[in-house]
Amino acid sequence: MENRQQEDFVWWKHGVVYHIYTRSFFDSNNDGIGDLQGIIKKFDYLVSLGIDAIWLSPIYKSPLVDYGYDVSDYRKIDPDYGTIDDFKEFLELCHSKGIKLIMDMVLNHTSDQHPWFLDSKSSKLSEKRDFYIWKKKKPNNWKSAFERTGWKYDSTTKEYYYHSFFQEQPDLNWRNPKVQKAMFKEMEFWLDLGVDGFRLDVINYIVKDEKFRDDPSLVNQLLFKPKLYSRNRKTSIRIVSELRKLVESYGDRALIGEIFVLPPGDSSIVSKFLGKNLEALNLAFDFSLIFTLWGARKYYGSINNMYQYLKQGAWATIVFSNHDLKRIFSKSLWNGHRIDKAKLRAMLLFTLKGTPFIYYGEEIGMGNANIPKKQIKDKLGKRYWPFYKGRDCARTPMQWSNEPNAGFSNSSTWLPVNTNYKLVNVASQQNDKESFLNLFQLLIKLRKQLLVLCAGEIELLSYTNNILIYKRTMENDQVYILLNFSNSTKNIDSYSNREVLFSTHTHKLEDQTANKFYLDSYEGAIIR
């Protein structure tokens, strides 16, 4: 029985979420840029995956300095992506197919072209002056994630404003009740239209220390994880709790927050944003799994740490890639066994206890592209080339077919298509039982067939011999997940005489012997 038919099915817990970077999904009008009508045209494909929700990266009006994460109008669709009517059509289509729609909401900052900031910088007496963080001189050592300093001098009023990211993204002053009220209104606009929830961008950044104390040095942060004053404040959690009340006043809605911390991640900080009594975020992104290096022991440690910090009743997010970081297929430093390793990460994605998030293209094994410097759009890539090539490498156009431009557009594309598109594309994988796409579809289908996989409890059992083993249990049903992280065959006699429900090595479903269980190199299996 599919979990959709269960009375206790909760879409943001038990479903599968698909993350679309709209600009790169499908171009419907041949301007080289993906758009809302493009997603509509490819909607049958999304349905065929078996997903339960879609998360859209920002599509609001924007100067595109940070490609949508610099919003100049929260209530308008950027012309690159279409119109508000296109959005309404897309939302209605989602709901007609039982798919939820999650908007990406940027609360920490606006564009420097937003009317609020233009007003704020015009005069010290502006009514919007305190919408942003202004100081006569730099009060501390706070850094920007993208710049050497987070303080930018503005000659109009001869003061500095704070920005956590690009200087074109001034931070809002969330200690100002008027800012809170104004931003709540922006979210109400979309809730009134019928969206099902929000993914909150860097929500742990929104409130800063009242005393503006210095942050510890970067080395100190990496080694000792000390308290930071520019983010992770308790007031942020209280504000999120109020946002949760607003969202839930509209019914079956959810808040999902990005809690960004430096590698290797920090599950203790992530869990705090769920709230002391789970009254804040419904889900909080923990990037620990993204940053985990290869090996059964390493993944055991990260997974165990993640669950240990979750309070009773809290729910995890399972995420291995996104629009800012490397794709699953490109995480291995060397080319050897990349496909096999990516398949094991896919197994983790769909069999751990938590909500799986798929970044567009992961289901066909898209990898990071090698983009020439002259074609890079991301300011970070332009600035730090060749030491860091920016985020564009994980944002290239979706590879639909082996046709020109990978079937994404009939025009020159906003970013170059990955050169491997003739081999890696949707069309070539749809009828291939051994393909990455088939693997994803089978795993999603299995989650829907086996309630234990999407809602059951989890027990980590072992990581010895470079094999990660854990158990999912629900009422009278239990299944075991075994993942071989090594390049050699492993005999596991203690798991003999079990039914093989799934294997990354599909032939195992046919020839696995009943009296002796073994795992091939880099094989993942689900057994009962």
Side-chain angles (χ1 to χ4, degrees):
M1 179 181 294
E2 289 193 1
N3 61 29
R4 287 176 185 273
Q5 299 172 349
Q6 302 292 322
E7 290 183 2
D8 58 355
F9 176 79
V10 180
W11 67 268
W12 55 266
K13 288 179 68 175
H14 306 131
V16 175
V17 184
Y18 191 84
H19 175 192
I20 294 179
Y21 194 77
T22 307
R23 198 172 188 84
S24 292
F25 197 64
F26 186 70
D27 172 20
S28 71
N29 59 358
N30 293 317
D31 62 357
I33 298 170
D35 45 52
L36 288 167
Q37 283 296 330
I39 304 175
I40 290 171
K41 289 182 183 299
K42 293 294 185 180
F43 206 81
D44 286 346
Y45 168 76
L46 295 170
V47 172
S48 74
L49 291 177
I51 61 172
D52 300 279
I54 293 171
W55 152 29
L56 286 185
S57 285
I59 54 174
Y60 315 106
K61 187 78 169 64
S62 169
L64 301 177
V65 171
D66 196 20
Y67 282 92
Y69 288 93
D70 51 321
V71 181
S72 58
D73 192 327
Y74 286 91
R75 302 192 187 194
K76 290 183 179 178
I77 303 294
D78 194 276
D80 278 355
Y81 307 124
T83 66
I84 194 68
D85 288 335
D86 293 328
F87 177 81
K88 291 176 180 178
E89 180 184 351
F90 174 54
L91 179 60
E92 184 178 351
L93 180 59
C94 287
H95 289 169
S96 72
K97 300 295 184 180
I99 292 175
K100 304 292 186 179
L101 182 58
I102 303 164
M103 295 288 284
D104 208 323
M105 181 56 68
V106 187
L107 298 181
N108 179 69
H109 49 267
T110 69
S111 164
D112 62 355
Q113 300 304 304
H114 194 289
W116 294 346
F117 187 73
L118 294 176
D119 193 336
S120 180
K121 69 179 287 190
S122 66
S123 167
K124 293 180 184 179
L125 301 178
S126 163
E127 289 185 2
K128 294 291 193 294
R129 185 66 172 180
D130 290 336
F131 265 48
Y132 298 85
I133 302 170
W134 291 95
K135 293 293 178 182
K136 292 181 180 178
K137 60 180 182 179
K138 296 180 183 180
N140 53 37
N141 68 347
W142 292 355
K143 306 293 185 190
S144 159
F146 297 163
E147 317 269 5
R148 291 182 179 180
T149 176
W151 296 98
K152 172 65 178 175
Y153 180 74
D154 184 74
S155 59
T156 306
T157 57
K158 297 180 172 57
E159 287 193 351
Y160 293 84
Y161 66 86
Y162 183 67
H163 57 95
S164 295
F165 299 94
F166 289 126
Q167 66 185 41
E168 295 90 350
Q169 296 169 287
D171 281 29
L172 287 160
N173 175 19
W174 273 87
R175 291 191 181 274
N176 181 349
K178 291 182 179 179
V179 168
Q180 297 179 30
K181 183 177 180 180
M183 288 305 298
F184 277 42
K185 287 293 184 183
E186 302 302 286
M187 295 177 72
E188 285 177 7
F189 173 83
W190 295 100
L191 289 166
D192 287 339
L193 285 179
V195 301
D196 300 286
F198 298 97
R199 177 265 189 189
L200 305 178
D201 185 56
V202 290
I203 194 62
N204 57 317
Y205 279 57
I206 62 172
V207 177
K208 282 72 176 173
D209 181 46
E210 274 187 301
K211 298 179 181 178
F212 289 89
R213 288 168 282 190
D214 281 350
D215 274 340
S217 68
L218 180 59
V219 172
N220 196 347
Q221 291 179 42
L222 290 170
L223 293 178
F224 304 109
K225 298 183 179 179
K227 179 189 291 186
L228 298 178
Y229 295 102
S230 59
R231 68 202 76 157
N232 304 331
R233 315 306 294 163
K234 290 181 180 179
T235 307
S236 298
I237 302 172
R238 289 199 291 271
I239 291 172
V240 172
S241 298
E242 293 303 312
L243 286 172
R244 171 83 170 266
K245 292 177 184 176
L246 168 66
V247 168
E248 290 189 341
S249 71
Y250 282 79
D252 185 18
R253 307 288 192 272
L255 279 183
I256 304 164
E258 177 193 25
I259 314 300
F260 188 79
V261 294
L262 293 172
D266 191 334
S267 297
S268 65
I269 292 176
V270 173
S271 64
K272 289 177 182 177
F273 279 81
L274 296 171
K276 188 175 182 180
N277 299 307
L278 304 183
E279 78 286 358
L281 295 170
N282 296 89
L283 296 172
F285 281 128
D286 187 335
F287 290 165
S288 299
L289 294 181
I290 291 181
F291 298 138
T292 301
L293 299 177
W294 188 254
R297 181 174 183 172
K298 292 183 175 66
Y299 273 108
Y300 182 98
S302 294
I303 295 166
N304 186 56
N305 194 55
M306 177 177 70
Y307 290 130
Q308 277 190 339
Y309 279 106
L310 286 177
K311 300 178 179 66
Q312 183 69 31
W315 201 255
T317 58
I318 313 300
V319 56
F320 282 90
S321 57
N322 65 23
H323 58 288
D324 288 329
L325 301 166
K326 280 187 176 181
R327 289 183 171 277
I328 290 177
F329 191 79
S330 297
K331 289 186 183 298
S332 301
L333 295 177
W334 315 109
N335 287 327
H337 302 287
R338 274 191 172 181
I339 294 177
D340 293 329
K341 290 179 178 180
K343 286 183 177 181
L344 283 191
R345 288 189 171 105
M347 284 278 292
L348 286 166
L349 179 65
F350 293 111
T351 60
L352 288 172
K353 181 186 177 184
T355 305
F357 286 77
I358 307 169
Y359 184 45
Y360 84 97
E362 296 292 74
E363 72 276 15
I364 60 170
M366 279 179 62
N368 281 32
N370 186 17
I371 303 176
K373 182 181 180 181
K374 64 181 180 180
Q375 292 180 282
I376 286 284
K377 298 291 193 300
D378 183 12
K379 283 183 66 175
L380 290 180
K382 293 178 179 179
R383 181 175 299 171
Y384 297 113
W385 183 280
F387 305 104
Y388 176 60
K389 298 181 180 180
R391 299 162 293 175
D392 290 345
C393 302
R395 300 175 176 180
T396 53
M398 179 70 173
Q399 295 163 209
W400 293 104
S401 69
N402 62 4
E403 298 172 339
N405 296 324
F408 165 79
S409 174
N410 290 329
S411 177
S412 178
T413 57
W414 82 280
L415 280 177
V417 174
N418 195 317
T419 55
N420 69 359
Y421 74 90
K422 290 189 176 182
L423 296 175
V424 180
N425 61 72
V426 172
S428 67
Q429 294 191 24
Q430 283 182 316
N431 297 314
D432 180 1
K433 291 184 178 180
E434 302 292 329
S435 71
F436 225 72
L437 179 58
N438 186 61
L439 175 82
F440 268 67
Q441 289 173 317
L442 285 175
L443 284 169
I444 293 172
K445 183 178 180 180
L446 198 59
R447 275 179 60 90
K448 294 185 182 300
Q449 292 173 339
L450 301 177
L451 197 60
V452 66
L453 279 182
C454 69
E457 296 302 317
I458 188 168
E459 181 182 354
L460 298 179
L461 298 177
S462 173
Y463 58 81
T464 56
N465 208 18
N466 215 9
I467 298 173
L468 178 62
I469 303 175
Y470 50 95
K471 178 171 66 172
R472 301 294 307 275
T473 306
M474 189 172 187
E475 298 175 351
N476 296 323
D477 194 14
Q478 63 181 20
V479 297
Y480 293 83
I481 294 89
L482 300 90
L483 307 173
N484 183 5
F485 283 76
S486 76
N487 62 357
S488 59
T489 299
K490 307 282 187 178
N491 291 321
I492 315 177
D493 293 337
S494 58
Y495 287 93
S496 299
N497 301 313
R498 308 292 179 103
E499 178 188 6
V500 181
L501 301 177
F502 180 87
S503 171
T504 54
H505 294 40
T506 53
H507 68 275
K508 281 299 188 67
L509 298 176
E510 302 171 0
D511 66 8
Q512 181 70 271
T513 55
N515 59 359
K516 190 173 183 181
F517 189 84
Y518 65 94
L519 288 174
D520 284 328
S521 63
Y522 299 111
E523 180 184 1
I526 303 172
I527 64 174
R528 177 186 275 153

